[in-house]
Amino acid sequence: MLAQLGLLSEAAQLEALASYFMLPVAAVEDYPSEVILPDLLEADFLVRARFIPVAATEASVTLIAADPFATDTLAAVAYLVGRPVKVMLGSAKDIEGAIDRLYAEQEAVEAHGPDPDAPVAAQEDDVQRLRDIASEAPVIRLVNRLIAAAIEQRASDIHIEPFADNLRVRYRIDGALTVIDRLAPEMQPGVASRIKILGRLNIAERRVPQDGRCKFIHAGREVDLRISTVPLMHGESIVLRILDREAVELDFKALGFDAGAQAKLDRMFQSPNGIVLVTGPTGSGKTTTLYAALKQLNSTERKVFTVEDPIEYQLNGINQMQIKPNIGLDFAHALRSILRQDPDVVMLGEMRDVETARTGIQASLTGHLVLSTLHTNSAAASITRLLDMGVEDYLLATTIIGILAQRLVRRICPLCAEAEREPLGALALLSEELRDFAKSLPANNMKRPVGCDSCRNTGFKGRTTISEFLLVDKDVRSRIVRGVNDREIEVIAKRNGMESLLQDGLRKVMAGETTLGEVLRVART
């Protein structure tokens, strides 16, 4: 610390520590020329502990350490090697340099794949070794079993995470992660390589993230898998997003929208032109809602285009385009191109920047219905978000038709749910306005989760949508051009009949579909 602050040179600090602990200071020739005890002391541990072994005999092991205060670590090393440890002092910079020099080749092969500068024959041998491991029957069966079980349990994602002592497998079911298995860490290369082969990824490249996709046949139906790999300390973290078209009903009622909400959705999505936005955080079902709208809008009389990143579900009769930023095909560029294709409806995967937003506005002004998503916390906040991005207020006021903000909450399992003994007891957590709203609703159907085999003892099975609709009428438009904030827009919208996310959630709580805790978990208070 003193050396980092410039109050004491590193050499002077090292001499002071050596004098205090009565330890010798290592010279340049004391550092090893080859790896010592590679089977017992790994490079990542040496880097964290800031020491390096320099000699090993039957009587003792000699280390050069940067931190003589780490007595517990030194005692642990003595216990591990089974003999006394002798310590010399060295600078952290010199120790790290020596570790990098000695362990660079070993780490490159074990953690990152073949050295790109190594002979081609060596690289080919490493790739072939990985292919052989991935082609072994036990590895193939294991990967197939993990994917098939995830599909059967209605998981949306499979997370395969490498750690020092295990390879953890988790499923995301109904939005919550659950540990499914802990495999031996030696399984990581084979599992990772097998999944990469399925996704047509480079199995020899373990230094950079990769993305791919594949199809998996289960129980006679085809399921799409999106694959993402990221290099970590102990291997590669792999996430498989499961896109099971048959498990998702692209229907507003099935998604959890009641009759009143469906009427508002129909009103928005049947407009001949303008912009409709669906907002919410990642994983809130925005794209699924837009797919349900596209399914409803899809007809032989309309030409429908989508611009997505990535394409999640393939819909017959709809022209779907995948953006490719690496070649300059971004949302704005793709949208400008498809406008020359004479579309009636255009769905943009996301309005990420002002250029995309302005291009979408121009498309709506020229007679197209534009659907898109935005990452904001509420419907009203979407307007201020677009204004902050640089979209002109008068253009926004004349093109936005409506904004839907939504979240996903877990449904109470119908097989094990019990009637809530004190239906209104939990309402004390709410504001007076929300308590009054809840008390105006029938509470006879309130349920509480219990847990059974069908719901894996969680008390929840499946998810439903809670939402709020901001229909942009003349009052809202006049406020937009006057530059008001989202709170003022929200007040006007509520005055004109908009129900908030929490209010819609309370309706589902009182109807016995979900719990107040679930609603408060996903909706802002």
Side-chain angles (χ1 to χ4, degrees):
M1 180 62 72
L2 294 174
Q4 292 175 350
L5 294 173
L7 302 176
L8 192 67
S9 70
E10 191 172 11
Q13 180 175 305
L14 200 60
E15 289 293 341
L17 288 173
S19 176
Y20 180 81
F21 285 94
M22 292 184 291
L23 295 173
V25 177
V28 174
E29 56 271 16
D30 292 325
Y31 285 85
S33 58
E34 60 182 13
V35 176
I36 306 297
L37 301 176
D39 297 333
L40 295 176
L41 302 173
E42 297 181 353
D44 57 347
F45 172 70
L46 299 182
V47 171
R48 293 197 303 273
R50 296 195 302 168
F51 73 82
I52 185 170
V54 296
T57 66
E58 293 182 358
S60 65
V61 172
T62 303
L63 311 174
I64 299 177
D67 185 9
F69 294 97
T71 54
D72 290 343
T73 301
L74 297 175
V77 172
Y79 178 79
L80 179 65
V81 299
R83 66 201 94 165
V85 168
K86 296 180 180 179
V87 178
M88 304 171 67
L89 289 184
S91 70
K93 182 179 179 181
D94 291 340
I95 292 172
E96 290 174 4
I99 293 172
D100 288 341
R101 185 183 73 253
L102 292 174
Y103 290 84
E105 181 179 353
Q106 177 180 335
E107 286 189 326
V109 172
E110 293 182 355
H112 301 312
D115 183 354
D117 297 325
V120 173
Q123 295 186 39
E124 291 177 350
D125 289 344
D126 187 78
V127 172
Q128 187 57 48
R129 180 180 64 83
L130 290 173
R131 290 189 184 278
D132 291 342
I133 294 173
S135 300
E136 293 176 355
V139 174
I140 295 175
R141 285 198 298 267
L142 172 62
V143 172
N144 289 347
R145 175 175 62 81
L146 291 176
I147 298 173
I151 295 171
E152 290 171 359
Q153 296 184 41
R154 300 174 296 101
S156 61
D157 303 88
I158 304 172
H159 293 248
I160 301 174
E161 303 157 314
F163 296 96
D165 58 347
N166 70 89
L167 182 65
R168 185 172 69 180
V169 180
R170 296 192 289 175
Y171 293 168
R172 187 178 293 280
I173 303 174
D174 295 335
L177 282 170
T178 303
V179 176
I180 300 299
D181 203 351
R182 294 183 186 273
L183 307 173
E186 294 79 14
M187 297 295 295
Q188 198 277 332
V191 171
S193 298
R194 177 59 188 169
I195 293 173
K196 285 182 177 180
I197 289 173
L198 291 175
R200 294 185 175 86
L201 303 178
N202 184 356
I203 65 172
E205 180 57 82
R206 284 162 280 178
R207 299 167 296 179
V208 297
Q210 296 188 69
D211 295 302
R213 64 185 306 153
C214 69
K215 296 185 183 299
F216 187 85
I217 306 298
H218 176 69
R221 71 176 191 268
E222 193 174 71
V223 177
D224 290 329
L225 300 177
R226 274 169 39 197
I227 300 169
S228 170
T229 71
V230 173
L232 299 179
M233 179 184 295
H234 298 291
E236 289 177 286
S237 170
I238 300 175
V239 175
L240 294 89
R241 169 65 59 87
I242 300 172
L243 302 171
D244 188 355
R245 283 170 288 182
E246 294 188 18
V248 178
E249 292 186 66
L250 298 180
D251 177 79
F252 291 138
K253 183 178 180 180
L255 294 177
F257 295 100
D258 58 26
Q262 291 180 57
K264 294 176 183 177
L265 286 169
D266 291 339
R267 177 180 170 186
M268 286 198 298
F269 291 125
Q270 292 298 332
S271 299
N273 54 63
I275 297 176
V276 177
L277 296 176
V278 181
T279 75
T282 301
S284 59
K286 301 185 298 296
T287 304
T288 304
T289 298
L290 288 181
Y291 274 126
L294 291 177
K295 183 180 179 182
Q296 182 175 295
L297 292 169
N298 187 21
S299 67
T300 55
E301 292 80 25
R302 290 191 182 97
K303 183 160 187 175
V304 182
F305 263 99
T306 72
V307 184
E308 304 172 66
D309 182 28
I311 297 172
E312 293 196 8
Y313 298 103
Q314 297 179 21
L315 302 177
N316 290 329
I318 292 179
N319 304 280
Q320 297 175 269
M321 178 186 291
Q322 165 77 51
I323 72 165
K324 299 176 182 178
N326 58 321
I327 60 172
L329 185 61
D330 55 16
F331 278 111
H333 187 186
L335 180 56
R336 285 194 296 268
S337 299
I338 65 176
L339 289 178
R340 293 189 284 270
Q341 293 279 313
D342 188 30
D344 297 294
V345 180
V346 177
M347 192 269 273
L348 287 173
E350 183 183 347
M351 284 194 174
R352 295 180 178 177
D353 49 53
V354 64
E355 185 182 7
T356 305
R358 283 177 174 161
T359 307
I361 286 173
Q362 292 299 325
S364 68
L365 289 172
T366 54
H368 305 87
L369 177 62
V370 179
L371 317 179
S372 189
T373 69
L374 201 63
H375 289 283
T376 57
N377 290 326
S378 67
S382 302
I383 293 174
T384 54
R385 168 74 175 131
L386 290 169
L387 292 173
D388 290 341
M389 285 170 58
V391 178
E392 292 78 3
D393 53 9
Y394 63 92
L395 289 177
L396 201 58
T398 55
T399 55
I400 296 286
I401 302 169
I403 303 171
L404 164 67
Q406 68 176 60
R407 303 287 190 276
L408 294 177
V409 295
R410 292 184 293 176
R411 290 181 186 268
I412 296 176
C413 176
L415 299 181
C416 60
E418 293 182 354
E420 184 63 65
R421 297 185 182 91
E422 298 181 7
L424 302 180
L427 299 182
L429 298 170
L430 303 175
S431 66
E432 183 178 354
E433 178 188 355
L434 289 172
R435 283 201 304 271
D436 292 340
F437 176 81
K439 290 176 181 178
S440 69
L441 303 172
N444 299 331
N445 294 325
M446 282 188 69
K447 301 286 194 307
R448 67 181 187 90
V450 178
C452 63
D453 292 339
S454 178
C455 62
R456 308 179 331 279
N457 293 312
T458 63
F460 297 95
K461 188 173 184 179
R463 289 190 288 180
T464 187
T465 306
I466 62 173
S467 58
E468 64 181 24
F469 295 87
L470 173 59
L471 296 175
V472 181
D473 54 21
K474 61 180 182 179
D475 292 334
V476 175
R477 289 192 181 93
S478 65
R479 294 286 179 164
I480 292 175
V481 296
R482 288 163 57 183
V484 295
N485 58 41
D486 53 342
R487 180 58 184 162
E488 294 174 284
I489 293 174
E490 200 169 85
V491 169
I492 297 169
K494 286 184 176 179
R495 190 188 305 146
N496 292 343
M498 183 185 83
E499 286 188 358
S500 68
L501 283 167
L502 281 171
Q503 288 174 319
D504 188 45
L506 285 173
R507 286 190 181 277
K508 287 182 165 55
V509 171
M510 296 303 179
E513 293 185 47
T514 188
T515 65
L516 182 60
E518 273 294 294
V519 173
L520 294 177
R521 180 177 65 86
V522 301
R524 64 193 181 97
T525 57

